[in-house]
Amino acid sequence: MALFSDDDASQYQIRSSKNMTYKVRGDMKKLLPVTTFFLGAALTAALVFLNATLDVNWRPSALASWGTGTQPASNPKTKALTELAEVLKNASMEDGTVIMTSINQAYAAPGSLLDLFLESFRVGEGTAHLLDHVLIVAVDPGALRRCRSVHRHCYLLRRSPGAVDYSGEKHFMTKDYLDMMWGRNRFQQTILELGFNFLFTDIDIMWFRNPLRHIAITSDVAIASDFFNGDPESMGNRPNGGFLYVRSANRTVEFYRRWRRARRRFPAGTNEQEILGRAQGELSRRSGVRMQFLDTAHCGGFCQLSGDMGRVCTLHANCCTGLANKVHDLRNVLRDWRNYTAAPPEDRRVGGFQWTRPGRCIR
């Protein structure tokens, strides 16, 4: 859903409640202020003025439909934007960061990915409190109802009349899938425009430790990679937008703007992740952002499975298609993690614990 038109957005500037950002040290509740605005990861088209107290009652810009850009009447748009800003404020950490994921009805069904995602926070080491800062964006009413039955912070991303129905499973690289991914990209831009930092996580990522500790304060964009080459600044890394941390700043909004414009240079049917991977050097250089690629030892997945459970923070069911396949193999991941955490400390120090091979996903 395009939350702002480019014309509307160009009139405003990003909120800065304080001219500082924060560095994570240990627990997220212990924040060290540092000067300047860091960490952002994307680009788009609009600057929103918000005052220092984030007065959500004043929103001159408006919320349009995700994906189509169709604009409903001004009052509903303003109401939707105000609602979004309020939800973000309620879920955000002290530094304005929100952990965000998205679901449809298929992913939200009992026993599906949503349940596994939430369970991983509860069984992880020092991750349960992070659920207070997780905003689940539902793309259909069925997903919203299920979200509200199991979680505190839920938001319905409304569709315009005639827009794609996102409630069912969307198969990789189909037209509906691509529309959903580019719509997600535009929604992320709006979060930045509203002055919030976000850590977007796919719903098929398990959280076992706090990954924010591994994001450098000098990074504007921190993103997972399917295959990490050992250099966190190398543009040779292959990005995975399913795990993306972005600090709100003018330069990261510009990054998103250029990212979306770059779509015109690629064949129809190219997804947003492929375009980022092929243009990330140019996009970061022209926008003035610094990108960081996260080590798969900490933020990994099925593509490059970490062998050290003592270091892993998140584990993504990437290099995998099919909802049933993901659910099956992620259940094994949670079982392996429980076995690891139930072991005596001396056994954990010795190591030797391994993930079960994701047999449905990797064959």
Side-chain angles (χ1 to χ4, degrees), residues 18 20-24 31-34 94-96 217 247:
K18 296 180 181 179
M20 62 175 62
T21 184
Y22 299 88
K23 174 182 165 116
V24 176
L31 297 168
L32 173 68
V34 298
E94 292 181 38
D95 68 339
I217 62 172
R247 180 75 65 177

Side-chain angles (χ1 to χ4, degrees), residues 308-322:
D308 188 351
M309 289 191 186
R311 298 177 65 194
V312 68
C313 293
T314 61
L315 197 151
H316 190 181
N318 53 11
C319 291
C320 181
T321 60

Side-chain angles (χ1 to χ4, degrees), residues 322-341:
L323 177 58
N325 295 332
K326 289 176 180 282
V327 169
H328 177 274
D329 286 350
L330 286 175
R331 283 176 179 161
N332 289 339
V333 166
L334 284 170
R335 183 198 61 204
D336 294 342
W337 176 258
R338 288 194 202 91
N339 290 338
Y340 167 75
T341 55

